Amino acid sequence: MEYSKLCEVYHALESTTKGLEKTRILASFLGEIRDEPEVIYLLQGNVFADYDHRELGISHQLAIRAIGKAAGIGDAEVIDAFKELGDLGKVAESVLGKKKQQTALFTSKLSIEKVMTNLRKLPMLEGKGTVEIKIGLIIELLHSASPKEAKYIIRTVLGDLKVGVGSGILRDAIVENCFKPQNLEGKKKYSQEVQEAYDKATDFAEVFEKACSGDLKKIKLKPGKPVKVMLFPKAKNVEDAFRIVGRPAAFEYKYDGFRVMINKEKNGKVKIFTRRLEEVTNQFPEIVEYVESHVTSESFILDAEAVGFNSETKKYTDFQAISQRIRRKYGIEKMQKAFPIELAVFDIIYFDGKSLIDTPFGERRKLIKKIIREEPFKIVLAKQIITEDVAEVEKFYEMALNDNQEGLMGKSLIAPYKPGARVGYAVKLKPEDNDFDLVITGAEWGTGKRAGWLTSFNVSCSNDGELLEIGKVSTGLKELEGGDLSFKEMTDRLNELIIEEHGRNIRVRPEIVVTVQYQNIQKSPTYSSGYALRFPRITRLREDRGVGDIATLGEIEKEAGE
Ligand code: AMP
């Protein structure tokens, strides 16, 4: 299929803000790509499935160079146009439009396949000398692109398509196209089925294909391929926890670490994924070692928390102490010694060739007890009691807090596991809870003493895949260099993600998740969410979380008492 056809769809999507209209446009286009379902990735502004975290690695500086070279002008001219238009996609459209008018160079037709092929080569190019090859691949596309096509190519390589297609809209379009539901009830039912399939596969192309052929149920868990983790709502207190999960219930330590899904494939290969589905096997060789030597099973998917501890005092440390290990590529052994972790296993969803997501939690827990040989400070089962007594839970709660953990999880003993869903099969109980995990979507350059640093950050929540701003935060970060939470570190990280610049304000690709504490929530017309956080303060950088893990508008409304 010609890329221009896809660009027409992009344009139509961009021209409306109405979700229903977007769904209709997409549903109709899906009918044309049934034989090439992977085009769906391009509709999402990507070239791989959601579970696949290969990055194109194109910063806005590289995009500027590619545009300049393709248009035969200097970088300075491109930067000037960027300052004026604020969007490199529009810059490409404009400068290439001018060039093409002059030279009438543009003749060949660009195919979707060619765009996919070139963009998919980008992540393989790492290290010295590869930058020019990367730029070359983009220039090749720009040469055979119309100015409009150039706009979308640049936006795609920067990871900011701006057509407003979130996962909710895509899901509804698949339902529309494959099932054509006649009423609201049918729509709801198919929506749920498609969503459940997506949460197992995290791949809209596969879901679309299977939905069309009536094979959604055939989407199965497979060790080695990351699956979305189950999420948990909050309970107000112990009584509330019992009310939600039933009596008796299991209560476990809520460890203050980060979540890992440990997969062992049938061939014996162990792979570790974070909850944002990023593979971190190389960063945590000891986890591989622990499960290889302490878990008896041919294949499995374990859900666990990696918790940091001090090797001398043996006291648990907080998440921030070990979070730097998640992104570390070098000096792993040193990190392992300096920041040791214990694995607290709390669930299992696949065992020896069988999915266990429909097995009651009580049974799943018995199974992990059976197959794991515990060894403190290496691998243990999450500390647990089973009870119906409030006082007993409160005592256990206190114990968890004294042990430097965040609180408790209350879990239904009869509930299944629901990948990706925030269902009340388990709840969290934490003392201070005035915070949300939010993603940084923009920032502002500082002035005076803080010139050269980004010092104020726009944070957003999500609503069915769409990001909505909820405030600007400028406190919580250190002036000093070093550590994750310093202005310098944050500036360095965000610099790589810039997609738009307007004076001192920038917009960035939504990749950095932070925990933001606040005093209260107010209704506000200033931000697109309709709410603003009062006295917000960044307390944590969540390396383990992605945009799929941030607070939803629904949760914010609930907290605001709406
Ligand atoms: P929160 O991050 O506040 O939404 O709380 C949920 C997180 O708590 C999960 O994603 C896990 O990473 C973590 N957690 C710690 N201990 C447990 C446990 N025993 N069971 C389930 N999740 C746990």
Side-chain angles (χ1 to χ4, degrees), residues 360-477:
F361 172 65
E363 299 298 314
R364 302 201 302 272
R365 167 81 186 192
K366 278 185 199 150
L367 180 64
I368 47 180
K369 197 163 172 56
K370 203 168 105 192
I371 63 171
I372 295 177
R373 180 169 61 81
E374 293 188 75
E375 187 177 345
F377 302 106
K378 284 190 173 176
I379 181 170
V380 295
L381 263 61
K383 234 186 239 295
Q384 188 195 74
I385 56 168
I386 293 176
T387 180
E388 26 189 301
D389 180 28
V390 174
E392 201 180 332
V393 179
E394 280 170 351
K395 223 169 89 197
F396 193 52
Y397 194 177
E398 226 178 279
M399 217 171 106
L401 296 178
N402 283 338
D403 248 350
N404 277 347
Q405 301 306 341
E406 278 189 307
L408 293 183
M409 302 291 307
K411 300 186 173 182
S412 156
L413 290 163
I414 53 171
Y417 190 100
K418 262 213 178 294
R422 195 179 293 278
V423 278
Y425 295 158
V427 290
K428 48 194 185 196
L429 268 171
K430 292 198 278 191
E432 61 55 43
D433 240 340
N434 266 0
D435 61 28
F436 284 121
D437 284 345
L438 301 166
V439 70
I440 297 181
T441 44
E444 191 177 330
W445 292 103
T447 52
K449 207 170 64 159
R450 291 177 170 183
W453 282 344
L454 291 165
T455 52
S456 169
F457 309 91
N458 304 56
V459 286
S460 299
C461 61
S462 76
N463 188 25
D464 232 357
E466 190 190 0
L467 297 178
L468 301 171
E469 267 190 14
I470 185 168
K472 262 187 138 172
V473 202
S474 43
T475 47
L477 300 187

Side-chain angles (χ1 to χ4, degrees), residues 21 25 110 126 177 182 225 246 255 282 288 302 426 431 438 503:
E21 183 63 12
I25 295 166
L110 189 57
E126 257 187 48
N177 182 273
Q182 296 302 312
K225 193 171 154 220
Y255 295 92
N282 291 338
V288 177
L302 297 175
L438 301 166

Side-chain angles (χ1 to χ4, degrees), residues 229-232 252-259 275 304-305 346 382 406 409 411 422 428 430 437 542 545:
V229 299
M230 180 160 69
L231 301 167
F232 315 105
E252 294 177 355
Y253 268 30
K254 182 178 188 316
Y255 295 92
D256 186 14
F258 66 92
R259 192 150 179 185
R275 62 186 259 175
E305 191 85 348
F346 55 79
E406 278 189 307
M409 302 291 307
K411 300 186 173 182
R422 195 179 293 278
K428 48 194 185 196
K430 292 198 278 191
D437 284 345
R542 296 290 335 199
R545 301 190 180 187

Side-chain angles (χ1 to χ4, degrees), residues 310-321:
N310 182 310
S311 50
E312 277 162 29
T313 63
K314 294 283 193 272
K315 280 230 171 349
Y316 287 120
T317 56
D318 71 359
F319 161 77
Q320 210 60 51

Side-chain angles (χ1 to χ4, degrees), residues 5-53:
K5 257 192 148 166
L6 179 62
C7 291
E8 278 167 29
V9 178
Y10 286 151
H11 182 70
L13 290 166
E14 210 180 337
S15 311
T16 177
T17 50
K18 294 198 180 85
L20 279 180
E21 183 63 12
K22 286 183 197 278
T23 308
R24 196 192 54 73
I25 295 166
L26 274 177
S28 134
F29 182 64
L30 288 181
E32 294 182 44
I33 57 164
R34 283 191 169 202
D35 296 332
E36 337 167 50
E38 293 197 346
V39 175
I40 242 178
Y41 303 148
L42 285 170
L43 286 168
Q44 297 180 275
N46 204 342
V47 287
F48 302 112
D50 289 341
Y51 70 81
D52 187 333
H53 277 265

Side-chain angles (χ1 to χ4, degrees), residues 64 74 143 186 197 254 258 270 283 298 331 353 426 449 470 508 519:
I64 286 171
H143 273 158
K254 182 178 188 316
F258 66 92
V270 174
Q283 287 90 314
E298 183 193 67
K449 207 170 64 159
I470 185 168
V508 294
Q519 202 176 71

